[in-house]
Amino acid sequence: MSEQTQTLAPEQKAATSQKPASPLTSVFSGAAGRNLGLVLALLAIVAVGMLTAFDNFFNFGNALVILRQASIIGVISIGMTFVIISGGIDLSVGAVLALASVVGSLAAIQDVAKSSHWIVTIVVALAVGVGAGLINGVVIAYGKVAAFMATLAMLVGARGLAEVLANNRTLVVSDRDFLRAMNVDLLGVDILIWIFALVAVGGWLLLNRTTFGRRTVAIGGNREAARLAGIKVKQHTMWLYALSGLTAGIAAVMLLGRTNAGTSTHGNLYELDAIAAVVVGGTLLIGGRGTITGTVFGVLIFATLSNVFVQNNMSSSLQAITKGVIIVIAVLLQQRFAVGRIKKRRTSQRGVLDAGGVNSSVQTQE
């Protein structure tokens, strides 16, 4: 009883004396509210497209075009979501995509694929992506190199290796069975869209229905607390970057099937598009929070915006400026609705730790 009636610590007093959040802040700081905001933003862009180019924009064929354009960046963005939720960053996904596309289209690989099965091309591209991701993960987790610098080095190295292997040329894919498989329509929908949908569903299940996803969020929220709770933080970080490499490899296969060629110029600046989609989708750059659903909406917002600009014959420069403004607004909203809540929670936790001692500290971290 004496512990229950104990005087509140200063931190607890500060936490309890803070004004309650406004109803608007409470709604939009939750997962449902954030997704609602993304839906409204997407609908606003669609409305602009309908008003400015109704005949060309508002039809099923153009909707498929938007989804097809979003599919490759979307797949990369799913892997990027996991990395950013954990508090990391991966600048190398575009270069890894280029390297995987070049290796998958090498003459030796194509000869093996023709003599056996076209699936060999896919396996090789995925293996290259996972291998590059594992290198990133080992350097970051065990080498204790900052994720920004490690993945920047991979960006330069992977694209340089792709140039060497391709001899600065475009390698044409001649396996007709592979190309036929990657250009098929299922129920009238492009195979690339189906791949994006499957990767998105798989990413959602991995993040929300497995211990892997829960550990990812825990590491992003508080790395030290996750370690004290028994999570193998270094090993988990390594696999997160392997997952990001895997999605880059999948995107490389998709691009190979669509362009019929592998080149070191594939995936240029894709990492920036993926990061932008993830951030606009509501994933915190500081880690600890994010959703696959939000990332999908972020990808669709940028793909629809690009389509509206194309339909209205507007310059790519204006499109880039608009994207930049959207990203800045998204980051400002993150700071307004999310960072404040995180600070309040940490302040409250510190008050509990001071009042409860070591045992309470362990329980809170778990």
Side-chain angles (χ1 to χ4, degrees), residues 13-333:
K13 290 181 179 179
T16 56
S17 62
Q18 292 172 340
K19 295 180 179 180
S22 65
L24 182 62
T25 302
S26 300
V27 170
F28 282 96
S29 60
R34 292 192 300 271
N35 289 335
L36 176 60
L38 293 171
V39 171
L40 294 176
L42 181 58
L43 290 177
I45 296 173
V46 170
V48 172
M50 293 174 60
L51 291 173
T52 56
F54 182 85
D55 293 336
N56 294 327
F57 180 82
F58 193 67
N59 58 75
F60 183 70
N62 189 56
L64 292 180
V65 169
I66 293 174
L67 291 174
R68 190 182 304 116
Q69 292 175 340
S71 60
I72 295 177
I73 293 295
V75 168
I76 294 176
S77 299
I78 299 301
M80 186 71 73
T81 302
F82 282 87
V83 171
I84 295 181
I85 287 176
S86 72
I89 197 76
D90 191 349
L91 301 178
S92 67
V93 287
V96 170
L97 182 155
L99 179 60
S101 73
V102 166
V103 174
S105 56
L106 290 173
I109 302 300
Q110 292 195 59
D111 290 340
V112 174
K114 289 179 182 178
S115 61
S116 55
H117 196 279
W118 55 265
I119 198 72
V120 171
T121 302
I122 296 178
V123 172
V124 169
L126 296 185
V128 171
V130 172
L134 282 173
I135 292 174
N136 280 335
V138 169
V139 172
I140 293 167
Y142 296 97
K144 297 182 179 180
V145 178
F148 180 89
M149 294 305 302
T151 57
L152 180 62
M154 178 59 74
L155 181 156
V156 177
R159 201 168 290 280
L161 180 58
E163 292 175 355
V164 171
L165 292 176
N167 196 22
N168 290 319
R169 295 181 294 111
T170 297
L171 305 180
V172 178
V173 177
S174 57
D175 190 330
R176 297 300 175 188
D177 292 333
F178 169 75
L179 296 177
R180 192 178 301 112
M182 294 303 300
N183 285 274
V184 69
D185 286 350
L186 299 177
L187 302 177
V189 179
D190 195 295
I191 186 66
L192 299 188
I193 300 174
W194 285 109
I195 294 174
F196 176 32
L198 289 174
V199 172
V201 171
W204 186 90
L205 292 173
L206 185 62
L207 181 62
N208 296 284
R209 293 294 183 266
T210 67
T211 55
F212 184 90
R214 289 192 290 272
R215 289 170 180 171
T216 300
V217 176
I219 290 172
N222 191 325
R223 183 173 293 264
E224 182 61 19
R227 185 187 67 80
L228 294 175
I231 298 175
K232 298 178 180 178
V233 175
K234 292 183 178 180
Q235 185 182 92
H236 192 89
T237 299
M238 179 185 69
W239 290 118
L240 283 171
Y241 283 92
L243 176 62
S244 181
L246 174 62
T247 56
I250 296 173
V253 173
M254 298 166 70
L255 204 55
L256 270 178
R258 192 43 48 100
T259 63
N260 302 351
T263 173
S264 60
T265 61
H266 275 334
N268 189 33
L269 298 181
Y270 277 20
E271 59 276 356
L272 300 184
D273 289 337
I275 293 171
V278 173
V279 172
V280 169
T283 298
L284 287 179
L285 281 172
I286 60 176
R289 193 197 77 186
T291 64
I292 299 298
T293 303
T295 295
V296 171
F297 277 120
V299 172
L300 293 178
I301 284 173
F302 282 121
T304 306
L305 182 66
S306 297
N307 187 268
V308 171
F309 273 86
V310 171
Q311 296 287 356
N312 290 278
N313 297 318
M314 302 179 73
S315 68
S316 58
S317 299
L318 183 58
Q319 178 180 335
I321 294 172
T322 305
K323 283 185 177 180
V325 172
I326 292 175
I327 294 169
V328 170
I329 292 174
V331 174
L332 289 175
L333 288 176

